[in-house]
């Protein structure tokens, strides 16, 4: 027997759990769903692969949207819906948008009820500020650490409700029998102990796939496409995996922090973008708004400067705030100042920051129905960044966090109702055995290929061929590279050691990333147009015939899914909104 198998034999082979609803993911969406279930008296278990206090949601900075009208009384959910659909370049699902915007105020009330410390005006109203292309001030916040406070609030509420959370459990497979969900399988990332979880329904809240690019604002080992693989292997499909939001300004160094965001507030406060020749380039791309242009346009401008040879030696451009008064920087950009000192020993009051576009948010995701976020697989639901439907080809800043709150609640209710209505549940010993065998096989793998190196290879391929600008030749080359990488994945070696079973976790991350990369490349090939975040240099125009969602299946087919009509009351409010003075992130 190989050494790894001996290691696992020493630990209990498998721990069994049984629950009504299993939630995979301890970020904002997963916790919100779990709270809804626990408050309704429904048995729930939450699992995650990293410490719950530190889930990806805690990184969110700028704020959370709802048309509360606390600052601008004219605001309505209909206007919020109109702004969301306009910003999506027509690809958002109008029913999903309506559900999120109508229920946004309820989402904020829920957070208040759990004790969220929102910033408030002197008279006690929740403060709301401008964020990106919103018509009115509708972004509620807590300093510049809104996500952290939301995560803390939800973790505390979950603790008060005594919700069981295992945040060291890596889910490797969803379990299905006769096409319906009956649980999930995984292992503990510290001890290697296996877990077999029986559940009536499963809510997948395991994040997106933007870590498959070289520069990403995601945490290390998060957003590796796990939701995509778990759902697809269970029989679900993906919608618009090619639609990925690139943030204009991620740092380049150090390598292990590449992609860490420099807040858009740096441009909002008067920061200037220059290429390696010292030229201020934004007026060339957007003469009116220059650095205050929209996120997708600034990302494209930076990309173009770099691609056309006017970038720095490291492949970046310069973001300069050093001309601003020192007090402005210390007061308005304290996090940027601190981050750059900590990561690069760079003083932004005197030196420019080297930045490049960075993968930031998966706007596509698992195909779900708008009403309840159910998938094609009975008993399987997907929420949060794992799901799709709200953002289309460009996400309105602050909409992701409210989506977690709204669909966390609605989907939990739907999953509980599904469980209630189950007359009996079929299970499959063969499915469990296959899940066990998958881990056994990986632990026994002692080939020459290194998991980390292959993750890097995927990230290089995606950055080279499916970044801010794409074309047919590049995407086709990307798929060929991916074929070669997948052949190498068959030759990996896994070496769990006393530090835990991270190597095994990374191997599963790698499998997920490969699937997410393939879906992204194939859907990007099919979208022969330029729209929002998706720039095809060989198809520079928007094609009205492609105002559809692209639905990807495991066999590589990509279907065109029509988008419903925008209700008249919302359509009447749609217009392009200026972002000037609203870059706060
Ligand atoms: C720097 C930054 C700033 C942002 N700012 C804003 C903002 O101001 N406003 C806004 O609306 N949005 C913002 N966003 C986006 C927003 O934070 C995220 O989209 C959102 O938090 C995602 O929440 P989630 O619950 O879907 O998933 P996450 O918070 O990503 O949680 C996913 C969970 O799934 C678990 N998981 C993953 N795979 C597995 C597996 N195989 N087994 C077990 N568990 C697994 C993870 O451990 C984690 O607990 C920002 C994002 C970033 C990166």
């Amino acid at each position: 027997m190989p050494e790894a198998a001996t290691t696992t034999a020493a630990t209990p082979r498998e721990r069994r759990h049984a629950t009504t609803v299993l939630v995979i993911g301890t970020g904002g969406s997963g916790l919100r769903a779990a709270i809804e279930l626990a408050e309704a008296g429904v048995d729930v278990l939450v699992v995650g692969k990293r410490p719950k206090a530190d889930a990806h949601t805690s990184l969110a900075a700028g704020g959370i949207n709802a048309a509360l009208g606390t600052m601008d009384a004219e605001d309505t959910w209909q206007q919020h819906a109109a702004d969301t659909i306009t910003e999506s370049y027509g690809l958002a699902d109008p029913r999903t948008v309506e559900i999120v915007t109508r229920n946004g105020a309820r989402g904020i009330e829920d957070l208040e009820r759990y004790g969220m410390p929102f910033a408030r005006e002197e008279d006690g109203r929740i403060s709301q500020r401008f964020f990106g292309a919103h018509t009115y001030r509708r972004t509620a916040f807590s300093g510049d650490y809104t996500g952290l406070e939301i995560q803390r609030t939800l973790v505390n509420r979950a603790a008060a409700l005594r919700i069981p959370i295992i945040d060291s459990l890596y889910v490797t497979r969803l379990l299905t029998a006769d096409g319906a969900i009956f649980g999930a399988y995984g292992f503990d990332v510290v001890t290697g102990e296996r877990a077999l979880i029986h559940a009536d329904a499963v809510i997948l809240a395991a994040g997106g796939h933007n870590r498959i690019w070289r520069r990403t604002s995601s945490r290390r080992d998060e957003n590796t496409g796990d939701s995509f693989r778990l759902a697809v292997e269970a029989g679900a499909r993906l919608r618009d995996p090619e639609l990925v939001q690139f943030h204009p300004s991620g740092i380049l160094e150090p390598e292990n922090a590449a992609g860490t965001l420099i807040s858009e507030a740096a441009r909002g406060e008067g920061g200037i973008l220059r290429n390696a020749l010292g030229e201020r380039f934004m007026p060339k791309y957007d003469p009116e708004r220059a650095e205050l242009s929209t996120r997708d346009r600034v990302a494209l401008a930076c990309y173009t400067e770099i691609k056309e040879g006017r970038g720095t030696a490291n492949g970046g451009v310069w973001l300069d705030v050093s001309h601003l008064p020192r007090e402005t920087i210390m007061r308005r950009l304290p996090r940027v100042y601190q981050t750059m000192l900590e990561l690069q020993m760079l003083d932004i009051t005197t030196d420019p920051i080297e930045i490049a576009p960075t993968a930031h948010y998966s706007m596509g995701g698992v195909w779900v129905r708008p009403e309840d976020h159910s998938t094609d697989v009975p008993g399987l639901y997907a929420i949060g960044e794992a799901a799709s439907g709200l953002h289309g080809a460009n996400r309105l800043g602050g909409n992701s966090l409210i989506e977690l709150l709204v669909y966390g609640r609605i989907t939990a209710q739907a999953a509980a109702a599904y469980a209630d209505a189950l007359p009996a549940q079929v299970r499959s010993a063969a499915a469990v055995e296959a899940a066990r065998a998958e881990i056994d096989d990986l632990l026994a793998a002692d080939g020459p290929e290194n998991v980390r190196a292959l993750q890097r290879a995927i990230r290089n391929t995606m950055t080279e061929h499916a970044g801010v600008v794409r074309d047919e030749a590049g995407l086709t080359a990307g798929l060929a590279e991916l074929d070669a990488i997948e052949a190498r994945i068959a030759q990996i070696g896994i070496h769990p050691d006393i530090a835990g079973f991270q190597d095994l976790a990374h191997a599963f991350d790698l499998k997920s990333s490969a699937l997410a990369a393939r879906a992204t490349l194939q859907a990007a090939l099919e979208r022969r147009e330029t729209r929002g975040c998706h720039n095809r240099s060989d198809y520079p125009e928007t094609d009205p015939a492609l105002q559809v969602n692209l639905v990807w299946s495991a066999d590589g087919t990509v279907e065109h899914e029509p988008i419903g009509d925008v209700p008249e009351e919302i359509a009447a409010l749609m217009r392009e909104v200026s972002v000037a003075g609203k870059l706060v992130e």
Side-chain angles (χ1 to χ4, degrees):
M1 289 289 270
E3 193 185 310
T6 314
T7 312
T8 49
T11 60
R13 180 161 167 72
E14 194 171 83
R15 187 174 290 265
R16 307 276 171 113
H17 305 267
T19 185
T20 304
V21 181
L22 169 68
V23 177
I24 303 172
T26 61
S29 63
L31 290 178
R32 178 63 190 89
I35 289 167
E36 187 69 16
L37 289 159
E39 286 182 344
V42 179
D43 202 16
V44 57
L45 170 66
V46 189
V47 300
K49 68 177 181 179
R50 71 179 300 124
K52 57 183 181 286
D54 195 33
H56 193 66
T57 294
S58 60
L59 285 184
I64 175 166
N65 302 332
L68 305 176
T70 59
M71 311 297 283
D72 297 313
E74 314 88 289
D75 199 12
T76 57
W77 71 261
Q78 290 93 337
Q79 187 62 60
H80 184 188
D83 293 350
T84 300
I85 295 173
T86 305
E87 191 72 357
S88 80
Y89 291 81
L91 294 192
D93 171 61
R95 288 161 304 167
T96 305
V97 173
E98 176 169 344
I99 289 170
V100 170
T101 53
R102 251 183 200 277
N103 289 284
R106 167 71 199 269
I108 301 289
E109 277 164 34
D110 287 342
L111 280 177
E112 278 191 286
R113 184 161 59 87
Y114 308 149
M116 169 87 183
F118 280 114
R120 291 183 185 268
E121 298 297 299
E122 277 181 2
D123 60 6
R125 282 172 296 153
I126 288 182
S127 299
Q128 295 196 279
R129 59 187 176 192
F130 275 125
F131 198 177
H134 290 273
T135 303
Y136 297 113
R137 288 174 288 178
R138 67 167 74 97
T139 304
F141 58 96
S142 286
D144 61 356
Y145 43 85
T146 310
L148 188 61
E149 287 295 3
I150 291 178
Q151 188 69 18
R152 272 191 201 143
T153 302
L154 295 176
V155 166
N156 289 344
R157 179 67 187 153
L161 290 165
R162 297 181 196 281
I163 294 174
I165 299 178
I166 309 175
D167 58 1
S168 56
L169 203 154
Y170 193 111
V171 173
T172 56
R173 256 194 199 208
L174 301 179
L175 299 172
T176 58
D178 293 348
I181 278 287
F182 73 92
Y185 199 84
F187 67 93
D188 189 288
V189 291
V190 180
T191 64
E193 183 183 75
R194 313 286 176 89
L196 168 58
I197 309 166
H198 286 127
D200 294 348
V202 172
I203 299 178
L204 194 52
H209 72 315
N210 49 60
R211 183 109 206 139
I212 67 173
W213 281 266
R214 195 164 54 223
R215 291 190 199 103
T216 163
S217 60
S218 284
R219 286 186 184 295
R220 227 170 166 217
D221 306 324
E222 286 273 78
N223 284 331
T224 41
D226 300 25
S227 302
F228 289 22
R229 182 180 62 82
L230 291 170
V232 166
E233 288 182 351
R237 299 173 296 158
L238 305 178
R239 185 194 273 133
D240 294 336
E242 79 285 9
L243 300 180
V244 173
Q245 184 168 57
F246 283 82
H247 191 287
S249 46
I251 61 171
L252 275 63
E253 288 175 325
E255 179 64 30
N256 64 3
T260 298
L261 293 192
I262 296 303
S263 167
E264 291 194 276
R267 286 184 286 118
E269 292 301 331
I272 286 182
L273 284 164
R274 291 203 176 82
N275 60 25
L277 309 173
E279 296 161 346
R280 182 181 178 196
F281 58 82
M282 272 316 297
K284 194 167 67 186
Y285 296 89
D286 188 339
E288 252 174 57
R289 296 178 290 191
E291 279 83 2
L292 297 180
S293 188
T294 51
R295 193 178 276 186
D296 53 337
R297 291 187 181 98
V298 180
L300 179 59
C302 294
Y303 173 88
T304 307
E305 290 297 306
I306 297 163
K307 194 79 179 168
E308 292 182 355
R310 295 182 293 279
T312 62
N314 286 330
V317 292
W318 300 108
L319 173 56
D320 193 1
V321 293
S322 64
H323 55 286
L324 299 176
R326 191 181 162 82
E327 312 80 72
T328 307
I329 292 176
M330 303 314 268
R331 202 161 31 86
R332 310 286 293 196
L333 304 170
R335 258 203 177 186
V336 180
Y337 177 79
Q338 198 57 34
T339 303
M340 293 316 295
L341 265 188
E342 273 171 22
L343 292 178
Q344 292 183 3
M345 276 307 285
L346 184 107
D347 181 353
I348 64 169
T349 64
T350 52
D351 293 306
I353 312 164
E354 195 175 23
I355 53 121
T358 183
H360 181 49
Y361 185 86
S362 303
M363 291 177 290
V366 178
W367 184 93
V368 288
R369 296 181 182 87
E371 298 73 30
D372 58 2
H373 273 207
S374 56
T375 66
D376 300 303
V377 182
L380 178 63
Y381 301 79
I383 49 174
E385 200 165 333
S388 61
L390 178 63
H391 312 290
N394 200 28
R395 177 178 68 101
L396 192 58
N399 264 2
S400 163
L401 290 176
I402 196 62
E403 182 187 17
L404 312 183
L405 272 292
V406 171
Y407 274 112
R409 178 173 65 82
I410 292 173
T411 305
Q413 291 168 357
Y418 171 86
D420 275 351
L422 265 188
Q425 192 183 43
V426 182
R427 294 178 183 168
S428 159
V432 176
E433 205 36 61
R436 287 186 186 123
E438 187 177 28
I439 297 182
D440 290 340
D441 289 350
L442 274 176
L443 283 172
D446 62 355
E449 293 288 355
N450 179 279
V451 170
R452 283 299 199 197
L454 291 173
Q455 284 180 321
R456 169 65 70 92
I458 290 181
R459 296 174 75 193
N460 285 342
T461 293
M462 294 306 285
T463 303
E464 184 62 28
H465 301 302
V468 178
V469 179
R470 300 135 180 212
D471 63 22
E472 178 142 359
L475 293 165
T476 309
L479 279 166
E481 284 179 24
L482 192 59
D483 288 341
I485 293 168
E486 283 185 333
R488 290 171 62 196
I489 291 176
Q491 306 291 322
I492 52 176
I494 306 288
H495 310 285
D497 53 27
I498 49 165
F501 282 71
Q502 290 299 340
D503 214 23
L504 182 61
H506 298 155
F508 277 103
D509 286 351
L510 175 64
K511 282 167 82 127
S512 298
S513 297
L515 181 140
R518 183 166 296 280
T520 305
L521 291 165
Q522 287 177 335
L525 259 178
E526 182 69 15
R527 192 171 283 291
R528 293 182 183 82
E529 65 164 349
T530 289
R531 187 188 289 268
C533 66
H534 177 74
N535 298 286
R536 283 281 301 253
S537 56
D538 46 351
Y539 294 95
E541 303 301 326
T542 300
D543 179 354
L546 283 170
Q547 194 190 347
V548 291
N549 295 127
L550 297 182
V551 182
W552 184 88
S553 302
D555 63 3
T557 53
V558 182
E559 290 162 60
H560 292 205
E561 182 183 53
I563 295 172
D565 291 335
V566 179
E568 191 42 51
E569 63 170 335
I570 294 171
L573 299 169
M574 285 170 60
R575 61 183 177 277
E576 187 147 337
V577 184
S578 163
V579 297
K582 299 179 186 173
L583 302 181
V584 294
E585 205 188 59

